[in-house]
Amino acid sequence: MVPVYFVAIVVLAGLAFAAGRKRGFTFMPVGGGPRAHSLPTYHGLYTATAAIVPMFLLLVAWGIVAPRFVDHMALSSLPSSLAPIDDLTRDARLRDIVGIANGQVSADLALLSAGNVYAGWREAAGWILLIAGAALGALGAFWALRNLAPRFRARNRFETIVKVVLIACSAVAILTTVGIVFSVLFETLRFFARYPVQDFLFGLQWSPQTAIREDQVGSSGAFGAVPLFAGTTLIMLIAMLIAGPIGLFAAIYMAEYASRRVRAMAKPVLEVLAGIPTVVFGFFAALTVAPMIRQYGEMLGLEVASESALAAGIVMGVMIIPFVSSLSDDIINAVPQSLRDGSYGIGATKAETIKRVVLPAALPGIVSAFMLAVSRAVGETMIVVMAAGLSGNLTFNPLEAVTTVTVQIKTLLVGDQEFDSAKTLSAFALGFVLFFFTLMLNIIALRVVRKYREQYD
């Protein structure tokens, strides 16, 4: 019924716009009469907005209240023998009832009856939403039409409504970020209430496996996160050593040296890398790059692990090349041509112009591109899982197996885990530290941008 409701919103908004615009044309001056404050289009937009807003607010309220009401009515129809006694049982009963309402077959007559009740109330709620929404939309449009007048400030009213909508959208983004931070922070504080923060941040052993009973071996895990930070940093540095120079040089070539035809072909081909799923890069790292590194390492007499940080870092670097090259290319192209012409005018060569004029002018944008690539490398999971392993080794040897923060978060939260255990809560602590690390990267990038940014006419 919700898709039908959106169709009703569009239809009523279109009719309201047409009626308001037609009414606005009657206010246009004829024969030197008084001039209307707003154009007919703004009268139509104001009328359409008056129809859309109440319908949208009703939809939001319906989405909050109606599902709970329908669930309550379906559960209330169950006999006392099947009545839920806790939240877990309630969720299980609701899953069965919803499944029956969606067409599944059940031999339990009580559940079958509850499913029919659920389907009936769900359909009734949909019709109530449609009828009430159409009525509210029509009333809103009628009220707006009655307010229209030659000196009515329809444009100001409509722009105020648009401004409120934009502020609300911005608030949603901000509140979502704040909600994510606090949701992770609260769980992190619960973890630090069980495990010392200094041992977590500076501990050298990561072994989060804990026993189920207190009398079992390993009943208290080791949550020293330094090996994870070291592995994350090592793989990120290897990736940036690959992606940084290649991406920047590719951007310089496409922006300054390549012909228009070559650029039109090379840039899309390079950006195809950004669309390849990370699991494909993981397979490539595990099946091709890692064995090749191990083979060449053995030829040189080096001991190389079957899963190494070098293999993961190389493939991750190839994956994030488009992030550096595409953004840097756009930034270099945004440098005014007048700067290049001035450099050529005083006798500088093309290479000198790029080195001493173009790159310094584009430095803030290039730094932002590098910071984005670093954040992408820090947050990557699949490549590390398939090519670098899961062992938390404290080493800076790229030929050994390491793991990263994101891989351990994935590992800790996979499967049926006790949510209140220190093992599971440690994933939130890792997530909070990772969030803080990326925040510091963004702050550094902003400081660099503000320091070196120049304004051009």
Side-chain angles (χ1 to χ4, degrees), residues 208-221 418 421 423:
Q209 301 300 327
T210 57
I212 299 176
R213 301 192 310 272
E214 292 292 336
D215 58 345
Q216 287 182 312
V217 177
S219 59
S220 59
E418 184 182 356
S421 66
K423 175 182 177 181

Side-chain angles (χ1 to χ4, degrees), residues 268-277 281 317-323:
V269 170
L270 187 61
E271 292 179 348
V272 165
L273 291 175
I276 299 177
F281 282 107
V318 173
M319 182 191 69
I320 61 179
I321 284 176
F323 292 89

